[in-house]
Structures are given as structure tokens and as C-alpha cells.
Amino acid sequence: MCADTGTLLGLQYPDFAPETMDKLKALLPDYATPVNPLDMSASLAHDGEKYTAVIQAIIDKREVSA
């Protein structure tokens, strides 16, 4: 909902770099799409290691900031 509101307000979300996309594809469930803004799906809420790995895959990347 926050990402949708950001879009409505004109916020643009940059694409992830190809290497980030590859890491995310390996970590996310098959039905999740590794695009920005990222929807990891609720299933990762129950897998702390994968959740952390997904965050690590994007947190230090130049194309992502807060």
C-alpha cells in the first residue's frame, strides 16, 4: 500500500541491477516477482534467514536508497 501511494504521488522506483535481480530470483518464491518496489510475499515472514538474505541483497546497492 505504501508503494502504491508513492506511485500515486509521483515517486519513481528504480530498477534493480541485473546481479541484484539474479540474487532475488534465487531467494524469492517462484510466484514472487523481483522488481522494485519489492513484494517478498508473506511466506518469507516465516523464514528469517531468507528474509535477511533478501534485505542484504538490496540494502547496499546504489540503485536503492531510503
Side-chain angles (χ1 to χ4, degrees), residues 11-14 16 36 58-66:
L11 185 63
Q12 296 180 351
Y13 301 97
F16 290 126
N36 192 12
I58 61 174
I59 201 162
D60 294 328
K61 301 304 175 195
R62 240 184 288 155
E63 71 267 18
V64 179
S65 68

Side-chain angles (χ1 to χ4, degrees), residues 3-58:
D4 291 340
T5 300
T7 299
L8 290 172
L9 295 172
L11 185 63
Q12 296 180 351
Y13 301 97
D15 293 331
F16 290 126
E19 63 271 6
T20 304
M21 293 284 289
D22 291 342
K23 286 181 185 178
L24 294 174
K25 286 177 186 176
L27 292 165
L28 294 171
D30 292 341
Y31 52 85
T33 306
V35 296
N36 192 12
L38 181 62
D39 180 359
M40 291 192 284
S41 85
S43 65
L44 287 186
H46 304 288
D47 188 335
E49 285 185 35
K50 274 195 178 177
Y51 186 89
T52 301
V54 168
I55 298 300
Q56 281 301 132
I58 61 174

